[in-house]
Amino acid sequence: GGRLVAVTGAGGVGRSTLAMALATGLAADPRDRGLVLLADLALHGHLALLHDAGDVMPGVLELVEAHRGAELPPDEVRALTFTLPDRGHDLLLGLRRHRDWTALRPRACEAALDSLTRTYRHVVADVDADVEGDEQCGSTDVEDRNTLARRTHGRADLVLAVGVPGIAGVHSQLRVVRDLIEVGVDPGRIVPVVNRAPR
């Protein structure tokens, strides 16, 4: 299967921009052209806006729904994404509304991630840093809301924890790293990235 890279961080740190740059950089290798996917797995997805996708569907909701009963072959997975010829990679649109997370079942999310990594050599996921679950806060509703983030971080080959300079930025970044480790992400797979750092 392909490699999954999760790009995460607190709000406003440039997480989506870095995920876009990473996907474009990976697709610059001719051997990987057409084999890179940028997936918007955030609850407030906005990569469709940043890419001027021109449509809001299909996206992650349709992908997960399709995996409720069976696995999808690669051509059907690709049919649920948008091809960006100028960037060299494909794009999976995110949730259209925050409340759509209620339709995402954990097992179907896991199956959808499996299909993505079987279809693409590199999957770059723009994903939230909120990973609390029942064990951390005693709420299964919160765990269900964070299903995409928890499943993505749990199986990612690499997690880029994005932060910004300054006391508040470093504090937020360390909190993200601590939360990821607390839910079982291997510290060896977490790489802190400081965005907009002074020289």
Side-chain angles (χ1 to χ4, degrees), residues 21-45:
L22 178 58
T24 302
L26 288 170
D29 187 333
R31 295 169 298 180
D32 291 330
R33 198 147 184 95
L35 295 174
V36 178
L37 175 73
L38 175 60
D40 193 341
L41 303 184
L43 290 180
H44 292 285

Side-chain angles (χ1 to χ4, degrees), residues 49-134:
L49 174 67
L50 296 177
H51 286 83
D52 192 21
D55 209 339
V56 293
M57 61 184 304
V60 66
L61 185 59
E62 287 72 28
L63 178 71
V64 173
E65 284 290 322
H67 283 85
R68 280 192 176 219
E71 294 180 358
L72 294 187
D75 59 329
E76 291 185 30
V77 172
R78 287 180 180 276
L80 295 172
T81 68
F82 289 81
T83 301
L84 305 173
D86 58 325
R87 295 178 181 261
H89 63 76
D90 292 349
L91 172 67
L92 175 66
L93 300 183
L95 297 175
R96 292 178 285 285
R97 297 164 300 196
H98 178 274
R99 65 178 179 263
D100 288 344
W101 66 262
T102 57
L104 303 177
R105 301 277 51 94
R107 197 167 291 171
C109 287
E110 189 72 32
L113 288 171
D114 283 340
S115 285
L116 291 179
T117 54
R118 279 197 310 271
T119 303
Y120 293 93
R121 186 173 296 165
H122 304 288
V123 177
V124 179
D126 177 3
V127 63
D128 295 316
D130 294 328
V131 291
E132 296 91 354
D134 185 36

Side-chain angles (χ1 to χ4, degrees), residues 10 13 162-175:
V13 298
V162 183
V164 292
I167 295 175
V170 171
H171 179 265
S172 295
Q173 186 177 32
L174 290 176
R175 186 182 67 235

